[in-house]
Amino acid sequence: NAGVMQNPRHLVRRRGQEARLRCSPMKGHSHVYWYRQLPEEGLKFMVYLQKENIIDESGMPKERFSAEFPKEGPSILRIQQVVRGDSAAYFCASSPDWNGETQYFGPGTRLLVL
Amino acid sequence: AQTVTQSQPEMSVQEAETVTLSCTYDTSENNYYLFWYKQPPSRQMILVIRQEAYKQQNATENRFSVNFQKAAKSFSLKISDSQLGDTAMYFCACPGSARQLTFGSGTQLTVLP
């Protein structure tokens, strides 16, 4: 059973460009969480999705950030018009249900904004 | 809102010795799990151990065990027979109402040869 997959592993963007981060959850998992880790900090929750639904986006910046988890295909975290402060590691995690089950993390995407 | 506090930014331990990392948390949830994750230099987040809050028995996983004090909202991690591969940043995590995890600020553990 493959683990959580994220791609790309590293992404370099110039200010003003768009970044698209992909996450394929573990097989059988229908719940996806996105977290951001700024340098020298812990992980901060961004958004929680189920298939075709956003359950909780309380940690998402109000502008430029969006997330989706379509019926088919991976979950996408999209950052429009990136700024240098968006440089961070973005982690995706998945779980089989929401009732306190363990979240398993992907390897992360390191975004660098020049 | 959940809060997780790790008061030890850095710790070191000699190989084969035992070390305890502390964590306190606050949550309004009644039934919940608590987690310890490690993040080695590769920066992959790896689950170390989890504790079900309604269980009084402390969780153990090989060399890793927890001391869970529910009334005190304390959840410390004990690593026995420390190995060089245990060198990593360790994060304590507590879930919120929507099961999103709140992480502590981490403890950088260095195992010395």
Side-chain angles (χ1 to χ4, degrees):
Chain A
N1 188 6
V4 179
M5 309 289 283
Q6 288 188 251
N7 67 81
R9 295 290 302 275
H10 299 273
L11 183 61
V12 179
R13 285 289 178 265
R14 296 192 180 278
R15 282 178 295 171
Q17 291 184 320
E18 179 180 288
R20 281 185 178 239
L21 288 61
R22 296 174 186 78
C23 169
S24 296
M26 289 179 69
K27 186 176 181 180
H29 288 193
S30 58
H31 299 252
V32 166
Y33 306 79
W34 286 94
Y35 295 85
R36 177 166 65 175
Q37 185 177 32
L38 296 171
E40 309 301 326
E41 294 188 12
L43 279 71
K44 296 291 195 296
F45 167 76
M46 299 181 74
V47 62
Y48 163 33
L49 309 103
Q50 288 180 293
K51 284 287 187 181
E52 301 184 279
N53 288 306
I54 296 175
I55 306 302
D56 182 353
E57 56 182 348
S58 59
M60 286 275 272
K62 294 291 185 257
E63 298 178 350
R64 301 188 298 107
F65 285 72
S66 62
E68 63 177 5
F69 189 14
K71 186 177 180 181
E72 301 291 337
S75 175
I76 306 288
L77 179 67
R78 181 183 179 202
I79 311 172
Q80 295 178 289
Q81 299 176 320
V82 296
V83 301
R84 287 200 175 134
D86 296 333
S87 294
Y90 291 82
F91 288 92
C92 168
S94 73
S95 68
D97 66 46
W98 65 272
N99 191 24
E101 277 291 338
T102 300
Q103 294 180 25
Y104 296 91
F105 283 80
T109 294
R110 276 74 177 170
L111 173 65
L112 176 62
V113 180
L114 301 177
Chain B
Q2 296 69 238
T3 59
V4 179
T5 302
Q6 294 180 249
S7 58
Q8 304 152 313
E10 298 179 352
M11 294 191 72
S12 61
V13 63
Q14 291 292 142
E15 196 175 5
E17 296 294 310
T18 295
V19 64
T20 298
L21 282 57
S22 64
C23 172
T24 57
Y25 67 94
D26 193 14
T27 180
S28 57
E29 298 298 300
N30 292 319
N31 295 318
Y32 54 92
Y33 292 74
L34 296 164
F35 304 92
W36 278 97
Y37 286 88
K38 65 182 278 190
Q39 188 176 43
S42 67
R43 301 195 72 185
Q44 170 81 49
M45 291 292 288
I46 301 167
L47 176 69
V48 175
I49 197 167
R50 77 173 190 174
Q51 173 76 42
E52 298 171 67
Y54 62 88
K55 287 189 176 180
Q56 291 188 337
Q57 185 175 7
N58 289 323
T60 62
E61 193 72 38
N62 299 317
R63 297 182 294 108
F64 299 88
S65 61
V66 301
N67 182 6
F68 174 50
Q69 304 290 330
K70 190 173 183 179
K73 294 188 176 178
S74 171
F75 180 57
S76 60
L77 174 69
K78 185 172 83 170
I79 306 174
S80 304
D81 186 26
S82 298
Q83 300 177 358
L84 296 178
D86 295 334
T87 292
M89 181 74 86
Y90 286 80
F91 292 100
C92 176
C94 169
S97 57
R99 305 305 170 185
Q100 74 278 19
L101 292 175
T102 297
F103 287 85
S105 55
T107 296
Q108 175 62 50
L109 176 68
T110 302
V111 180
L112 304 169

